[in-house]
Amino acid sequence: MKSVLAVLLLCMLSACVSNTDFYRLRSEVNDLRRESAAAKTEVNTLKEKTAEAVKEDSFTAVRESQAGMTSRVNDLSSSLQEIRGRFEENRYFVEKTLKESTAERDLLKTQISSLENQVKLLKEKMAVLEGATKQKEPVNEQTGTSAQAETPGQKADIATSDKIPEKKDSVDKKTSAYDAAYQLFKDKRYKDARAGFEAFIKDYPKNDLTDNAQFWIAETYYAEKYYEDAILAYESLLKKYPGSKKTSTALLKQAFAFIEIKDVKTGKIILNKLIEQFPDSKDTELARKKLAEIDKKNGKKK
């Protein structure tokens, strides 16, 4: 009986031991599962960080590549700009040389024509002198006529005729100088035209066309987009020749020049001054249109 009880006791003890081991093992398995899950999470996190790092490296590489390309493009642009500058410089000198050659050619043509006229006059005088010599009559060398044939009235006519052509030649010379400069302006040879008008003003400071010459000097600057120089040239016209017929146009173009250099405020002041002083001028119509254009543009910006 005692042996049976001992056996039963041992069995119970062994069963208890087995249950304890089972729970312990299950606990360890759960711990392993949790550790495995944590390891997976950490691995995934590492993968994401690695992917981000790779992506950032890729972006960095792209940025560096773009920066390199931009740098090369800038270098090429600088080289192209330099080449363009050299080309423009060479073209300017070629055009300048051609213009100077053309001007010299025109001058030579004028001189040759003048010499031909002088030769023609000398030939006519020589013919008269030869005819007078054959008739054995004293001859007036200046007029090429016979001295005996000259009456007092004829002498007075000759003296008068000598003076009239001289005055006419002087007027023609002035007009020719002005017309030549204006033709250069129409041919868009602005620098040469400006030099011609400046020479005209210097030679004929009190001529009726002097104020016009000053106006066209300003116009040459405006055409070349030298707006600051144009403003000063228009101002010179307005101050030196206040009664000029070009005053209203000079005010209009001076205002336009200020607007071109982004000084719209001053431009508007001059346009309003033009409208006030010359209400019936055609330039006033253009001034009103320009003011409306400016106001419309400013309204859009607001």
Side-chain angles (χ1 to χ4, degrees):
M1 185 67 179
K2 289 181 181 179
S3 61
V4 173
L5 292 171
V7 171
L8 290 171
L9 181 60
L10 288 171
C11 288
M12 290 176 66
L13 289 172
S14 62
C16 291
V17 170
S18 299
N19 288 333
T20 302
D21 291 338
F22 173 76
Y23 286 120
R24 183 173 56 80
L25 288 172
R26 189 169 65 180
S27 177
E28 291 178 356
V29 168
N30 289 335
D31 290 340
L32 288 172
R33 285 178 179 174
R34 284 194 294 271
E35 290 177 0
S36 176
K40 286 182 179 180
T41 302
E42 187 175 355
V43 168
N44 291 332
T45 302
L46 288 173
K47 283 182 178 180
E48 291 176 357
K49 290 182 178 179
T50 303
E52 290 178 358
V54 171
K55 189 183 293 184
E56 184 63 28
D57 291 340
S58 300
F59 286 154
T60 302
V62 171
R63 290 192 189 100
E64 291 176 353
S65 177
Q66 289 179 343
M69 290 178 65
T70 302
S71 177
R72 287 195 293 273
V73 169
N74 290 335
D75 291 340
L76 290 173
S77 298
S78 299
S79 300
L80 180 61
Q81 189 68 26
E82 184 179 354
I83 292 171
R84 283 180 178 173
R86 291 178 181 175
F87 173 76
E88 292 295 334
E89 184 178 356
N90 290 332
R91 187 175 70 176
Y92 168 77
F93 283 115
V94 170
E95 290 179 351
K96 182 180 179 182
T97 302
L98 290 174
K99 288 177 181 178
E100 291 176 350
S101 299
T102 303
E104 289 177 359
R105 184 186 63 188
D106 294 340
L107 179 61
L108 286 173
K109 284 183 178 180
T110 303
Q111 291 175 347
I112 290 171
S113 178
S114 176
L115 288 172
E116 288 176 348
N117 291 331
Q118 291 178 16
V119 170
K120 184 178 178 180
L121 290 173
L122 287 173
K123 285 182 178 180
E124 291 175 354
K125 287 184 178 182
M126 286 296 296
V128 173
L129 287 171
E130 288 175 358
T133 302
K134 289 179 181 179
Q135 296 176 2
K136 297 181 180 180
E137 292 178 358
V139 176
N140 187 318
E141 293 182 357
Q142 291 182 351
T143 63
T145 59
S146 173
Q148 291 180 356
E150 292 177 1
T151 64
Q154 288 176 330
K155 290 181 179 180
D157 292 339
I158 291 169
T160 305
S161 64
D162 287 342
K163 292 180 180 179
I164 292 174
E166 182 179 355
K167 185 177 181 181
K168 184 177 179 182
D169 290 342
S170 177
V171 173
D172 290 343
K173 187 177 180 182
K174 294 176 185 178
T175 305
S176 298
Y178 180 88
D179 291 342
Y182 184 67
Q183 185 60 47
L184 290 171
F185 178 84
K186 290 197 294 184
D187 294 339
K188 297 183 179 181
R189 294 169 58 182
Y190 299 121
K191 187 175 181 180
D192 295 333
R194 185 162 57 247
F197 285 123
E198 288 172 348
F200 180 85
I201 292 173
K202 182 179 179 181
D203 294 337
Y204 313 106
K206 296 182 180 181
N207 189 270
D208 293 339
L209 295 172
T210 303
D211 59 324
N212 285 23
Q214 180 61 41
F215 174 79
W216 292 115
I217 289 172
E219 288 288 274
T220 62
Y221 285 124
Y222 191 94
E224 292 178 310
K225 298 184 179 181
Y226 298 147
Y227 297 117
E228 291 87 352
D229 294 324
I231 289 168
L232 295 175
Y234 289 125
E235 188 65 20
S236 180
L237 169 68
L238 296 171
K239 287 184 176 179
K240 291 181 180 179
Y241 314 99
S244 173
K245 294 180 180 180
K246 296 289 186 180
T247 299
S248 63
T249 308
L251 285 170
L252 180 70
K253 297 300 290 291
Q254 188 183 54
F256 286 177
F258 271 111
I259 293 169
E260 289 290 344
I261 62 173
K262 309 304 179 185
D263 189 352
V264 179
K265 183 177 180 181
T266 303
K268 290 179 67 176
I269 291 172
I270 296 173
L271 290 174
N272 286 313
K273 179 181 179 182
L274 166 61
I275 294 170
E276 181 182 351
Q277 291 184 356
F278 304 93
D280 299 326
S281 171
K282 292 182 178 180
D283 296 316
T284 297
E285 295 179 10
L286 297 174
R288 288 195 177 98
K289 289 181 180 179
K290 191 65 176 179
L291 286 171
E293 179 185 330
I294 293 171
D295 292 339
K296 185 178 179 181
K297 187 176 180 181
N298 291 336
K300 287 183 178 180
K301 288 183 178 180
K302 291 179 181 178

